[in-house]
Amino acid sequence: MSISTVTAARILKGQYSGLWEKEELVWETFPYSAIIKTYTTDSQVADSAASANAYLSGVKSNKGTLGVDVNVDLGNCSAQLDDAFHLSSLASWFQDAGRSTGFVTTTRVTHATPAALYAHVADREWEDDQEVRRDGEDPDRCDDIAEQLILSDTGKRFKVVMGGGRRNLLPKAVTDVVENKKGYRNDGKNLIDMWQRQKASSGSRAAYVWNRQDLLGLDTSNTDYLLGLFGYSHMDYSIERDNTQDPSLPEMTKAALEILQRDAGGYFLLVEGGLIDLGHHGNKGKKALTETLEMDEAVKVVLSMVNLQETLVVVTADHGHSLSINGYPSRHTDILGVAEVSGEDYLPYSTLLYGNGPGYRTHIPGHRPDPSRQDMAGVNYRQDAAVPLRSAAHSGDDVGLWATGPHAHLFTGVYEQNYIAHALAYAACVGHGRTFCGGGVRRNRGVETCRGQRRWHRQRC
Ligand SMILES: [Zn+2]
């Protein structure tokens, strides 16, 4: 969600509301904002795994690795096994402090962003055991991400897990409940069943749901643990979603908060609008922007449910995409349309353009397709890209961060991405470092002392 994505989504929201360029996304009303530098230990341009390590664990790492530090190179199973190289995340810090945790995403629950909360793997693609084996490694040695979600110490302690990706939790012998396809797992494990048995054996009130009706009908006040898997792979784009089947990101966010907010000691929730990135990968501007507006709705739900005197809300992006808003379109011009002026080839071009990706079309003068003669309003229209790539690459430009609530003032300036995790831990009095509640290591004592304090910003606990 590059800055250009935020700007373009704001204008699209304004097209719908009539406010056009003057419109605001919900987080643009937050009192504090910052600029975040996203480069990784080995790349100027981040992927979602390395960037999630940074903002969720406070340590920059190599591209493609999850929950491990710079000592683990991409795909190095042996290095993955060394505990000394493992990172701990905000989720585990909150859990160690006795607080509730959860995450909600529109991607697979085993995808890079959520996985950085609970997994330690040398390759983000090891979402199930067959993918570990495909890379010539032994899945019995190097546990895959889905297994770590259900069986790891951090994974087991999530109160809320919602997103897509049933295929990575199901064995090959099992056919998916919606799609007529088999699970991906070679090891025979049905991790969804295992999760249900695990919670039942501990006497917890747990619910597994896979469709919107069951989620909306769930009595969240009597649910301690919730696993919601609403897609065989990623969830569908909001503009293509079957609303009778799949919940929206705002609906999942609401259910997650209803469960987590029952913890009087506080909670941590990660909400990811993961399909913004996927839309951009296809150079499909309309999908990326409408997913950004879906995130906007989710943040609106958050603000309607939390007390900003005691809850810090932070909105940011893991990395950018090479979207540019260019030309000189007049005010009140469709952001998904043409920029009004023509190029030197006397042909119009779209306001939104990409640096690279599958939207590449010939640039030979006179042969460039005229975008105004194409279905630019279509959900699958690809804006032009300068360089052909099957899937668009990310961009390395800085991203934005917007914050409101206690300690939001910690985000005013230009920061390394890994600063985010430390600032959040400081504010929430969790983790191993220095916190608002006092010096590091005495975290349990600090948390106990902090409980019940509401006026965090005025009073030391
Ligand atoms: Zn991506």
Side-chain angles (χ1 to χ4, degrees), residues 156-194:
K156 276 184 194 168
R157 290 189 287 174
F158 284 122
K159 295 275 177 72
V160 175
V161 172
M162 272 189 278
R166 290 188 295 265
R167 70 184 195 191
N168 306 95
L169 280 77
L170 291 174
K172 287 212 152 89
V174 172
T175 304
D176 183 58
V177 67
V178 177
E179 300 196 22
N180 189 27
K181 295 176 186 166
K182 303 284 189 192
Y184 271 22
R185 301 196 66 82
N186 266 326
D187 59 8
K189 288 178 183 160
N190 184 330
L191 292 171
I192 299 173
D193 283 356
M194 289 172 80

Side-chain angles (χ1 to χ4, degrees), residues 51 55-56 107 163 165 167 186 218 370 381 399 431 455:
S51 63
Y55 66 83
L56 294 174
T107 68
R167 70 184 195 191
N186 266 326
L218 187 72
D370 180 349
Y381 177 74
V399 296
R455 299 163 72 181

Side-chain angles (χ1 to χ4, degrees), residues 125-143:
E125 292 191 5
W126 295 349
E127 292 182 59
D128 57 68
D129 65 318
Q130 70 151 12
E131 284 162 313
V132 180
R133 197 176 294 283
R134 189 195 57 203
D135 284 353
E137 301 293 349
D138 179 0
D140 288 332
R141 265 183 88 221
C142 279
D143 289 342

Side-chain angles (χ1 to χ4, degrees), residues 48 277 281 319 321 394:
S48 298
D277 171 68
H281 275 299
H319 56 74
H321 264 274
H394 298 161

Side-chain angles (χ1 to χ4, degrees), residues 343-365:
E344 301 296 343
D345 55 4
Y346 305 108
L347 287 168
Y349 56 92
S350 56
T351 299
L352 301 181
L353 289 173
Y354 285 93
N356 59 62
Y360 172 82
R361 297 169 179 91
T362 180
H363 297 146
I364 300 169

